[in-house]
Amino acid sequence: HDSNDMQKAKLTGEDVAQHNSKDSCWVIVHGRAYDLTEFLPEHPGGSKIILKYAGKDATEEFEPIHPPDTLDKYLDKSKHLGEVDMNTVEQEEKEFDPDEEERQKRIETMPILEQCYNLMDFEAVARRVMKKTAWAYYSSGADDEITMRENHNAYHKIWFRPRVLIDVEHVDTTSTMLGTKVDMPFYVTATALGKLGNPEGEVVLTRGAKKHNVIQMIPTLASCSFDEIIDAAEDGQVQWLQLYVNKDREVTKRIVQHAEKRGCKGLFITVDAPQLGRREKDMRSKFSDVGSNVQSTGGQDVDRSQGAARAISSFIDPSLSWKDIPWFLSITKMPILLKGVQCVEDVIRAIECGVHGVVLSNHGGRQLDFARSGIEVLAEVMPVLRERGWQDRIEIYIDGGVRRATDIIKALCLGATGVGIGRPFLYAMSAYGLPGVDRAMQLLKDEMEMNMRLIGAAKISDLNPTLVDVRGLSMHTAMVPEDTLGRNVYDPLIGPKEKAK
Ligand SMILES: Cc1cc2c(cc1C)[n+](S(=O)(=O)[O-])c1c(=O)[nH]c(=O)nc-1n2C[C@H](O)[C@H](O)[C@H](O)COP(=O)(O)O
């Protein structure tokens, strides 16, 4: 921030508090005041959430959702009003929150890290110790969360055909993804709002990925700024960029070319989210304040019940289509992959238009409910590509519901180059910070080595379709939350007289 600030007398809390309405709306973030009056109708999260903090300090609310450079990047300098003497700012009386009290007790009694023996253990702990809004955002899937459950359930329909008497004294789990040699064939996939779960945000995942030579896919909607996440990586550490395409292609071009300049080694264009899915747990949580304009047009008051997802996604371009792919190929030398492809026809289309790979994914079940799991689509795709001799034309990744090394092995047996893992690392980071992420990755490594040994594979290239039986894969049992449709409409125990009361 420029030095003339220092000369300018600091604003007081009283100065800011006078601007507490939509006619004049000043807000404090990180000890500096900003005039957001004109910005109110443009805020993707809607005007209500800003007005809630008009004249006050909004730092705590601002922090998990916005990268630190947001105001520098998107708010005209004339609206930067300078430093505030925070000693003069009345801190809001925190209303007593019994849930928060309970949560603190659960944190004091949570299991020690060594009691987590698999990736699902982190989910169990995170559910108990995370803030409600953070748990709601990370754990939610779309609609009835059928697809979110199917993502992991699908792996239970694939069984192994292990081979014996193979020399597996030395097991090598290393592999190559987009030209990068990795210790394990999985990457940390892009998941938004890392600071909801951990105050440091995505850089915790960066440090964990470095330790295990695992690739991190940087989300467009990270809480940390893109440059913070790049700077948190050490020399030689490989990162990819996940891109939500902005309606303003100039913004998109700038993001892509900056990422390439900073050394990103892959561009993953998310294609399954022209609009973010309806995640009801997220919508029910506190974020209902935060609603956003994406549901309504032209700055009308936001639809308050849309949760964090809506609040951060109004910039995404729903008109993105195959005709845009040549433009992307023209603005970067990075390999380009499409993330969120869900049928073999689109894989063939992707190959024909020259992209370098796809991620077969349904966004962790957060988009279209009843979309098939990545592993099921993989089982549909690979035989068709093999028939055409195209199985090596592009790299094929899958994600969704990967919780065990056996899930990774099944995907590689069917022909995937690697898999993306999302929630487990978010939960590990939220519950235990970097040690949690480190342990989660180590657990996967240990499982991988053991399971490859038991299936009779000494190295990744030994994994092949004959080692799995996928006959049950396309049978779907939709596990819905307890079916209460008929529960309250007619209750035979209460006769008409009761009703009449
Ligand atoms: C769990 C989670 C996933 C998100 C995610 C946020 C969370 C909390 N977000 S979202 O806010 O828009 O939905 C993104 C995102 O920014 N961009 C994206 O391409 N995928 C996003 N995904 C999907 C993610 O990249 C994987 O497809 C998904 O997480 C894989 O499933 P598992 O979580 O079961 O591993």
Side-chain angles (χ1 to χ4, degrees):
H1 291 291
D2 35 316
S3 59
N4 72 14
D5 268 1
M6 309 313 278
Q7 277 80 39
K8 250 193 307 190
K10 287 186 180 180
L11 291 161
T12 66
E14 182 47 35
D15 297 334
V16 177
Q18 288 164 38
H19 302 269
N20 61 357
S21 74
K22 65 179 180 346
D23 306 323
S24 177
C25 174
W26 290 10
V27 169
I28 300 170
V29 175
H30 294 310
R32 312 178 70 74
Y34 299 90
D35 179 352
L36 299 182
T37 314
E38 288 164 28
F39 176 69
L40 284 172
E42 296 160 38
H43 181 232
S47 53
K48 275 195 168 57
I49 186 64
I50 296 180
L51 287 169
K52 181 177 169 186
Y53 291 93
K56 299 175 191 164
D57 183 0
T59 303
E60 198 179 323
E61 187 76 34
F62 176 89
E63 184 68 12
I65 299 255
H66 307 78
D69 56 359
T70 303
L71 291 162
D72 286 340
K73 261 187 176 167
Y74 300 110
L75 188 69
D76 186 87
K77 284 287 177 275
S78 64
K79 307 299 179 189
H80 295 224
L81 305 171
E83 272 201 82
V84 178
D85 175 355
M86 293 310 286
N87 300 319
T88 65
V89 176
E90 242 177 77
Q91 289 307 331
E92 291 277 291
E93 262 301 292
K94 274 214 181 308
E95 70 235 34
F96 172 68
D97 176 356
D99 288 345
E100 184 56 21
E101 181 109 341
E102 271 309 300
R103 186 174 82 91
Q104 290 306 327
K105 280 193 202 123
R106 291 198 296 270
I107 289 175
E108 280 145 34
T109 58
M110 71 193 270
I112 59 169
L113 177 56
E114 288 62 31
Q115 287 178 279
C116 291
Y117 288 95
N118 63 54
L119 266 48
M120 300 304 266
D121 286 347
F122 290 102
E123 177 167 335
V125 177
R127 178 189 212 112
R128 289 169 47 77
V129 300
M130 287 179 75
K131 282 190 182 140
K132 250 187 346 234
T133 46
W135 167 257
Y137 188 65
Y138 289 172
S139 65
S140 54
D143 296 3
D144 293 318
E145 302 187 333
I146 309 284
T147 289
M148 184 172 82
R149 291 175 175 77
E150 175 64 11
N151 276 348
H152 186 60
N153 183 46
Y155 286 98
H156 297 173
K157 296 185 268 184
I158 300 176
W159 294 76
F160 285 126
R161 306 177 68 252
R163 306 305 298 270
V164 296
L165 292 179
I166 309 259
D167 174 358
V168 284
E169 183 180 4
H170 300 292
V171 169
D172 174 2
T173 65
T174 61
S175 184
T176 303
M177 303 202 286
L178 293 186
T180 300
K181 196 156 164 44
V182 289
D183 289 1
M184 282 277 287
F186 72 81
Y187 57 86
V188 179
T189 187
T191 54
L193 302 185
K195 283 187 182 173
L196 282 181
N198 181 300
E200 286 193 272
E202 289 81 3
V203 296
V204 175
L205 298 172
T206 311
R207 294 181 196 123
K210 168 67 192 169
K211 190 157 178 205
H212 293 272
N213 186 26
V214 156
I215 293 173
Q216 176 190 21
M217 187 190 289
I218 299 174
T220 297
L221 294 175
S223 301
C224 296
S225 72
F226 172 77
D227 288 313
E228 274 179 318
I229 301 171
I230 293 280
D231 293 342
E234 293 178 21
D235 286 352
Q237 182 172 352
V238 171
Q239 293 164 307
W240 296 335
L241 173 68
Q242 171 271 325
L243 183 73
Y244 274 134
V245 177
N246 195 307
K247 291 172 190 138
D248 177 343
R249 288 293 192 275
E250 271 316 301
V251 170
T252 288
K253 183 174 180 181
R254 213 173 35 245
I255 292 171
V256 170
Q257 294 185 334
H258 178 65
E260 182 166 13
K261 207 162 87 242
R262 290 297 326 259
C264 272
K265 292 284 181 286
L267 173 65
F268 287 69
I269 301 173
T270 297
V271 295
D272 60 5
Q275 171 184 348
L276 287 201
R278 270 179 58 84
R279 299 131 190 204
E280 293 178 4
K281 282 204 285 262
D282 174 36
M283 292 157 66
R284 287 193 183 102
S285 77
K286 175 168 96 39
F287 277 106
S288 55
D289 287 351
V290 186
S292 91
N293 285 319
V294 75
Q295 289 306 75
S296 56
T297 51
Q300 297 141 14
D301 270 343
V302 295
D303 172 348
R304 289 165 44 89
S305 63
Q306 297 302 317
R310 288 281 183 280
I312 58 177
S313 60
S314 55
F315 67 90
I316 297 172
D317 182 359
S319 74
L320 181 70
S321 71
W322 291 105
K323 69 174 178 7
D324 295 308
I325 299 302
W327 177 76
F328 281 99
L329 292 165
S330 73
I331 64 167
T332 178
K333 295 260 171 306
M334 288 189 286
I336 294 181
L337 296 90
L338 304 181
K339 177 178 182 289
V341 173
Q342 301 174 62
C343 64
V344 63
E345 295 88 336
D346 280 351
V347 173
I348 290 169
R349 187 97 192 248
I351 293 172
E352 287 166 344
C353 71
V355 298
H356 304 82
V358 294
V359 183
L360 304 178
S361 166
N362 52 52
H363 214 101
R366 297 164 69 81
Q367 290 299 110
L368 176 65
D369 211 7
F370 288 94
R372 294 176 300 166
S373 64
I375 189 82
E376 182 175 352
V377 178
L378 180 70
E380 170 186 279
V381 165
M382 293 317 289
V384 172
L385 295 193
R386 284 196 188 96
E387 236 168 72
R388 290 175 172 228
W390 284 13
Q391 66 280 8
D392 300 324
R393 284 281 293 270
I394 61 171
E395 295 197 6
I396 299 203
Y397 297 89
I398 71 169
D399 72 23
V402 174
R403 299 294 182 267
R404 284 279 188 189
T406 47
D407 301 335
I408 302 174
I409 290 172
K410 290 171 185 174
L412 269 62
C413 285
L414 289 177
T417 307
V419 305
I421 300 177
R423 292 182 181 89
F425 296 133
L426 282 176
Y427 295 144
M429 166 182 90
S430 303
Y432 296 99
L434 177 57
V437 176
D438 176 14
R439 182 165 173 86
M441 291 183 177
Q442 189 52 51
L443 287 170
L444 269 180
K445 269 185 176 173
D446 299 344
E447 284 185 18
M448 189 81 181
E449 185 175 329
M450 182 198 71
N451 288 311
M452 279 183 66
R453 190 161 276 134
L454 298 181
I455 198 176
K459 56 190 183 307
I460 295 294
S461 54
D462 293 342
L463 297 175
N464 68 75
T466 67
L467 295 173
V468 287
D469 172 357
V470 296
R471 283 173 298 168
L473 191 49
S474 54
M475 267 160 30
H476 295 109
T477 46
M479 289 165 0
V480 291
E482 194 188 341
D483 185 348
T484 61
L485 295 183
R487 179 69 50 81
N488 304 318
V489 173
Y490 167 67
D491 179 340
L493 300 180
I494 301 178
K497 59 181 178 320
E498 294 279 322
K499 286 259 191 245
K501 257 197 227 155

